């Protein structure tokens, strides 16, 4: 790793771009926001970009020939180009959705029991009994439930790659899980609970060897690592804007062009058609085919500004910074024998997400105590319930980092954590004093 | 933290009347989908109408200290009490928990339940405290006891 973490002065400058970080919570405690994995905060640059759109350009893109609409169209398509460039893609292969969940559903919905009569090549998306969809035990519900539903609709079988005690994919049985029957492999790039980075190269190679398509949930990787769709070699990739300093209400689906062209639409209506007659309609080419209705123009423009912001910081430095914080947190947790980390405890193939449990204390209670000190973490199953079952825990506490987090905030978390056993330790022992 | 009263910690560490027992007329399973807390609750009622008595509430619960304490207090405050009284306790608990901190709770009516008053100031935790009670009223419905119960919708009552 050549990039260096941000210096304290640099972090201070970054923090100044995020107005919300200056606020206090509860009884005046400074906000220590360690929940960027759920959603990140937004810098003024992004807020300004959205506001500027509404103040100067507001109109419906791709509809009408008046000056504003033309300018809005240019801004919207310019945002697409910018965001596509960020992941090494061509603009026409990038579809805007409302979030990653919708993007993943869009792909899952393209598969059905029979080809679409009006769309050449859609046989590729016809599934039936005997076909299989392979997911993993660490998927977010957004990359699990749509595939369960697909299997229910088509009679295909859902299978999954198990997770090891260390929180990594157990590929030892991959030969029997990934076979000629497998049509889709849907996998998360960076786990939103464990922090694990999955071996995409290997999975892509194995999947493509049997002609299966690879759908990558890149929600927790695009904001934190350099992601290049061509280098990854996957067939589809989905992420959300709100986890990467962008606005809520915008997500991205990238797909290989020939696949997007062979896919039926998900949502239908205005803007996605080619011709419409009372009897039937034909559809626009991608990406418009998948963008029914007036799109989230301001959000796309805001996300493009977020991408500019990330590029200005440097994604390698963001990753290095988050890993440095992760290292400090992992070391701090390791020094507390009453805490168990769920997920890799070293920095090997890892992102800046750390989930843990405290002996005999429910995560909800841990989170409540931390919140009392202004430390915002996520508690619960983080939309990965099967993964929590796998580790036989009802819930975990999760800290997740972004570029604006400081070493002091890691220490604030650890300090607040030390009050947990003080509060919840066995009352008989506590009563002894 | 003022939320974690000694009584709550005691109940959550040593839940009263825990475990599933026979006989029972209804068994329900409720979960809190946001955090995965679960409770399986059995209800045994003796008698009919105005003379009905809550003979037993038995349960198997997995959850945070607030939900554990709440179901423990529920069992303590309802077992052996007339059904009508148990329902009054439920109404008083619910009123307190959804009062956003306005209603401190009446110890005469809800007993140890007053220790949960602080929960009302944390909207995200109100569901935890109501989980067992929602299971209780659901079990009551399923047992076929015809008593006017309000607020059996688990969504209702949470801000
Ligand atoms: C790994 C992963 N996949 C999918 C999602 C779903 O993202 P969204 O809720 O923005 O659609 C999230 C975040 O919640 C996530 O962390």
């Amino acid at each position: 790793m050549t990039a260096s973490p941000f210096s304290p002065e640099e972090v201070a400058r970054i923090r100044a771009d995020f107005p919300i970080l200056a606020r206090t919570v509860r009884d005046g405690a400074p906000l220590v926001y360690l929940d960027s994995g759920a959603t990140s905060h937004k810098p003024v640059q992004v807020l300004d970009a959205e506001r500027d759109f509404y103040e100067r350009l507001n109109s419906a893109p791709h509809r009408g020939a008046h000056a504003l609409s033309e300018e809005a169209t240019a801004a919207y398509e310019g945002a697409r180009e910018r965001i596509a460039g960020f992941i090494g893609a061509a603009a026409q292969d990038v579809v805007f959705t409302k979030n990653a969940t919708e993007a993943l559903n869009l792909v899952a919905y393209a598969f059905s029991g029979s080809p679409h009569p009006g769309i050449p090549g859609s046989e590729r998306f016809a599934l039936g009994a005997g076909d299989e969809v392979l997911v993993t035990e660490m998927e977010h519900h957004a990359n699990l439930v749509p595939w369960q539903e697909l299997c229910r609709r088509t009679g295909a079988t859902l299978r999954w790659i198990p997770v090891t005690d260390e929180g990594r994919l157990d590929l030892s049985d991959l030969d029997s899980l990934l076979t000629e029957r497998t049509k889709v492999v849907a996998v998360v790039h960076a786990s939103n609970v464990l922090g694990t980075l999955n071996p995409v190269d290997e999975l892509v190679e194995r999947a493509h060897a049997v002609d299966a398509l690879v759908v990558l949930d890149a929600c927790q990787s695009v904001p934190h690592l350099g992601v290049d769709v061509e280098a990854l070699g996957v067939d589809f990739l989905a992420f959300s804007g709100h986890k990467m300093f962008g606005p809520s209400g915008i997500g991205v689906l990238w797909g290989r062009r020939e696949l997007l062209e062979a896919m039926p639409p998900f949502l239908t209506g205005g803007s996605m058609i080619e011709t419409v007659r009372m009897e039937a309609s034909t559809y626009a080419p991608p990406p418009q085919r998948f963008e029914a209705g007036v799109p989230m123009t301001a959000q796309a423009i805001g996300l493009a500004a977020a991408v500019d912001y990330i590029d200005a910081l440097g994604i390698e430095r963001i990753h290095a910074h988050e890993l440095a914080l992760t290292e400090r947190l992992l070391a701090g947790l390791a020094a507390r024998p009453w805490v168990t980390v769920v997920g890799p405890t070293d920095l090997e193939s890892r992102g800046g997400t750390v989930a843990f449990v405290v002996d005999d204390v429910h995560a909800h209670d841990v989170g409540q105590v931390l919140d009392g000190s202004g430390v915002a973490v996520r508690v619960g199953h983080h939309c990965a319930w099967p993964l929590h079952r796998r580790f036989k825990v009802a819930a975990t506490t999760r800290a997740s980092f972004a570029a604006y987090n400081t070493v002091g905030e890691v220490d604030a978390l650890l300090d607040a954590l030390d009050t947990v056993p003080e509060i919840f330790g066995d009352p008989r022992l506590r009563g002894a004093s | 933290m003022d939320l974690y009263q000694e009584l709550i910690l005691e109940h959550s560490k040593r839940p009263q009347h825990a475990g599933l027992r026979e006989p029972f007329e209804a068994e329900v399973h409720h979960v809190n989908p946001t955090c995965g807390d679960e409770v399986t609750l059995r209800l045994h009622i003796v008698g009919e109408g105005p003379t009905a008595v809550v003979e037993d509430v038995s349960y198997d619960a997995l959850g945070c200290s607030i939900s554990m304490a709440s179901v423990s207090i529920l069992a303590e405050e309802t077992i052996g009490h007339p059904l009508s009284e148990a329902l009054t306790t439920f109404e008083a608990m619910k009123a307190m928990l959804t009062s956003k901190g306005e209603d401190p709770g009446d110890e005469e009516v809800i007993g140890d339940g007053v220790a949960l008053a602080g929960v009302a100031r944390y909207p995200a935790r109100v569901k935890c405290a109501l989980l067992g009670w929602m299971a209780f009223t659901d079990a009551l419905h399923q047992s076929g006891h015809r008593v006017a119960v309000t607020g059996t919708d688990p969504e209702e009552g949470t801000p």
Side-chain angles (χ1 to χ4, degrees):
Chain A
M1 194 194 310
T2 48
S4 56
F6 298 118
S7 68
E9 297 72 33
E10 286 175 305
V11 183
R13 275 200 298 279
I14 294 169
R15 291 177 70 83
D17 289 331
F18 293 80
I20 203 170
L21 296 177
R23 67 161 285 183
T24 58
V25 291
R26 301 299 179 201
D27 296 322
L31 172 66
V32 175
Y33 189 77
L34 301 177
D35 197 19
S36 295
T39 199
S40 71
H41 290 309
K42 327 299 175 197
V44 284
Q45 289 83 343
V46 168
L47 306 179
D48 287 347
E50 274 202 272
R51 184 181 183 93
D52 179 66
F53 168 77
Y54 287 122
E55 285 185 347
R56 292 193 311 113
L57 307 178
N58 183 47
S59 57
H62 293 299
R63 291 187 186 183
H66 59 73
L68 285 190
S69 175
E70 277 179 8
E71 289 181 29
T73 305
Y76 181 62
E77 292 305 328
R80 192 193 307 276
E81 198 129 331
R82 181 73 189 86
I83 293 158
F86 184 64
I87 56 167
Q92 70 196 92
D93 305 328
V94 162
V95 177
F96 287 134
T97 61
K98 90 168 183 251
N99 52 27
T101 301
E102 185 182 298
L104 292 163
N105 273 273
L106 192 163
V107 179
Y109 183 83
F111 292 88
S112 63
S114 54
H116 191 292
I119 300 177
S122 60
E123 312 77 46
R124 178 100 205 226
F125 292 90
L127 292 192
D131 291 329
E132 293 179 358
V133 174
L134 182 64
V135 296
T136 84
E137 212 178 6
M138 65 168 79
E139 294 312 307
H140 187 283
H141 298 165
N143 201 30
L144 169 60
V145 183
W147 302 111
Q148 292 175 336
E149 275 297 302
L150 169 65
C151 290
R152 187 189 57 74
R153 286 199 308 272
T154 61
T157 302
L158 186 77
R159 306 191 69 184
W160 52 90
I161 301 172
V163 170
T164 66
D165 290 342
E166 289 70 43
R168 305 219 178 252
L169 289 182
D170 178 358
L171 299 179
S172 60
D173 205 22
L174 197 59
D175 281 336
S176 65
L177 286 169
L178 181 52
T179 67
E180 302 286 318
R181 292 187 299 277
T182 312
K183 298 295 177 252
V184 185
V185 178
V187 57
V188 69
H189 193 185
S191 163
N192 67 312
V193 179
L194 309 163
T196 311
L197 291 183
N198 285 321
V200 178
D201 289 354
E202 183 175 355
L203 289 167
V204 165
E205 194 186 313
R206 300 284 292 267
H208 285 173
V210 296
D211 232 13
L213 297 173
V214 179
V215 180
L216 193 69
D217 174 354
C219 272
Q220 301 290 349
S221 55
V222 168
H224 308 285
L225 320 162
V227 164
D228 182 295
V229 291
E230 288 307 328
L232 285 172
V234 297
D235 299 293
F236 294 98
L237 179 138
F239 58 97
S240 277
H242 68 91
K243 295 181 194 286
M244 52 190 285
F245 306 146
S248 55
I250 184 135
V252 170
L253 173 69
W254 170 85
R256 256 181 219 296
R257 189 165 312 161
E258 66 275 16
L259 294 171
L260 289 176
E261 282 168 352
M263 279 161 60
F266 176 45
L267 301 174
T268 56
S271 298
M272 52 73 66
I273 49 87
E274 184 181 57
T275 59
V276 177
R277 298 175 198 287
M278 282 318 292
E279 299 76 22
S281 302
T282 59
Y283 305 130
Q288 275 72 34
R289 185 187 300 166
F290 305 105
E291 295 182 3
V294 172
M296 34 302 207
T297 322
Q299 290 90 326
I301 290 163
L303 180 54
V307 162
D308 284 342
Y309 190 83
I310 291 175
D311 271 348
L313 294 184
I315 192 97
E316 286 83 14
R317 293 203 66 198
I318 291 176
H319 186 49
H321 184 71
E322 292 169 356
L323 274 190
L325 299 177
T326 302
E327 185 170 31
R328 190 178 183 93
L329 177 56
L330 287 172
L333 295 177
R336 290 164 173 79
W338 36 274
V339 175
T340 308
V341 170
V342 179
T345 49
D346 56 30
L347 295 187
E348 176 65 26
S349 295
R350 207 184 192 304
T353 300
V354 179
F356 59 89
V357 290
V358 173
D359 281 353
D360 300 324
V361 185
H362 191 281
H364 236 152
D365 295 319
V366 175
Q368 190 81 54
V369 173
L370 298 182
D371 175 69
S373 307
V375 179
V377 292
R378 177 129 183 228
V379 296
H381 50 60
H382 323 303
C383 301
W385 210 336
L387 179 69
H388 281 73
R389 285 215 182 82
R390 151 71 183 83
F391 282 97
K392 298 191 171 56
V393 290
T396 55
T397 302
R398 178 189 77 179
S400 52
F401 297 116
Y404 42 64
N405 289 123
T406 67
V407 167
E409 288 180 312
V410 175
D411 296 344
L413 165 65
L414 292 167
D415 288 346
L417 198 56
D418 283 334
T419 64
V420 171
E422 285 168 25
I423 296 173
F424 293 95
D426 193 307
R428 283 166 298 192
L429 299 180
R430 281 182 297 124
S433 62
Chain B
M1 283 200 74
D2 56 345
L3 179 62
Y4 294 111
Q5 302 287 317
E6 196 65 30
L7 264 177
I8 294 184
L9 299 173
E10 301 261 339
H11 272 284
S12 69
K13 285 198 193 316
R14 279 177 285 280
Q16 303 299 299
H17 309 280
L20 292 170
R21 293 178 292 274
E22 316 254 349
F24 60 95
E25 291 77 52
E27 175 181 299
V28 297
H29 181 71
H30 278 220
V31 299
N32 182 342
T34 49
C35 59
D37 286 358
E38 308 187 35
V39 61
T40 302
L41 184 141
R42 288 176 178 179
L43 184 60
H44 176 37
I45 296 207
V46 173
E48 285 295 329
T51 64
V53 169
V54 180
E55 191 66 20
D56 195 18
V57 176
S58 65
Y59 61 91
D60 183 20
L62 178 73
C64 65
S65 63
I66 302 296
S67 73
M68 296 299 290
S70 187
V71 70
S72 170
I73 291 168
L74 180 158
E76 196 170 86
E77 293 299 320
T78 57
I79 293 173
H81 290 253
L83 180 55
S84 58
E85 204 182 299
L87 289 172
T88 307
T89 306
F90 163 64
E91 291 293 349
M93 279 297 291
K94 203 180 91 176
M96 179 188 78
L97 288 169
T98 56
S99 73
K100 300 192 167 71
E102 303 284 298
D103 173 0
D106 180 356
E107 194 168 354
E108 293 285 304
V109 183
I110 60 176
D112 285 357
V114 291
L116 289 161
V119 174
R121 289 200 314 282
Y122 299 94
R125 305 303 296 275
V126 172
K127 261 194 174 155
C128 308
L130 281 172
L131 183 67
W133 290 91
M134 290 306 160
F136 174 77
T137 51
D138 185 19
L140 189 57
H141 267 296
Q142 298 204 9
S143 72
H145 277 272
R146 302 197 53 80
V147 258
V149 184
T150 56
T152 46
D153 174 1
E155 291 306 315
E156 195 195 315
T158 45

